[in-house]
Amino acid sequence: MQKPVVALVGRPNVGKSTLFNRLVGSKMAIIEDTPGVTRDRIYGTVNYKDYSFHLIDTGGIDITENKFNDEIKGQAELAIDEADIVVFVVDGKEGLTANDYIVRDMLMHSGKEVIVAISKADSKLFKEHQYDFYELGFEKYVSLSGEQNFGIYDLLDEITKDFKEMPEEYDENIIKFSVIGRPNVGKSSLVNALLNEERVIVSEVAGTTRDAVDTPFTYHGKDFVVIDTAGMRKRGKIYENVEKYSLLRSLKAIDSSDVCVIVLNAEEGIIEHDKHIAGYALEAGKAVVIVVNKWDTIENKDKQMKKFTELIRNEFQFMTYAPIVFLSALTKKRIHTLMPQIIKAYDNACREIKTSVLNDVIMDAYSLNLPPTYKGKRMKIYFSSQVGTKPPTFNIQVNSKGLLHFSYQRYLENKIRESFDFEGTPIVLHFKNKGEE
């Protein structure tokens, strides 16, 4: 299911970052009493009751005319454009300012659903300004304090009250894969090279393409949808040249995918943002294939392929199960090696293991290497079973999960991978006490 997107916007220093951290439940945003300190949109996932949505924290919009604030305004415009709901955060302590009206005008023109969040409602000055905010002309208002944690559930109820379950847009038997990565690594070129393969038949049926970035096609008689995160609905400078702008596209595409193709640039190597994007695929539990593009630009390919593989394994230690494909979208060299890896990663993510066979593997691993003791007690394993796929998920029943050390969990995961082909997919181990659901 796709998650809705909610954006927090407002002028500087009204409490957006504090509210973001309260909603997400961790201190991901920078909080400082200096206006404009949050320069980049920060992304998080909010889980509330039976709902889940992406949350974007934007930089403060200021009318001061300089490049920095122009970029922040551009960030906010992009966040608003991508959002399903916008939370307009205003300062209950300070009241309305000219900047608030600038933000109000942006939101009025966007046509998006807006909830006005009056922050710092714990301030003594709040009562002086409380009713001024209705001048903004929106329908929904919630008073709250991120610092004191009141009004937060009222805001969440307001955000989620009209949420509908968003159905899958394609049949579940169609394999959906996204091409993700930072700008200029060759994502669109890779998609075009794939779709121009002789074995691929691109669908021309009206209505099958949700967006300019989704393309259904058939490969060897099997149906696929490729989601190209480089595609943009609108053109303009705010969509170009800034790495962070690619991230929301990637998040939405990851949600819609069965497999994520993470594209790296052979010329530039690996940077931190590559790992951030891969981390989102991991958190979402998606199967992955790592592609090193622009391989045509590399000399001494055999030697460099070994070096690049070692580099990827070192930098992506959280994803050692991911197959690596070296290719050139421009020349189409080795392009034929990608689809088989995507199919294999998908098949492995759907793999189901018989309970008896799984128990044999786990108990053999346990007998071979007993868990360490803690205060004279040792974890015992009673029974294991697979309870889900995409990603493969296993319940392991034990006497006390509090005795589990992360290194032993990693050991069991490695033993499972040695016994069964789970290349390309994460696997999840849940340890449960006997009798625990």
Side-chain angles (χ1 to χ4, degrees), residues 336-351:
H336 65 280
T337 61
L338 179 55
M339 285 303 298
Q341 291 293 352
I342 291 171
I343 293 167
K344 183 178 181 182
Y346 174 80
D347 288 344
N348 287 345
C350 298
R351 186 176 302 282

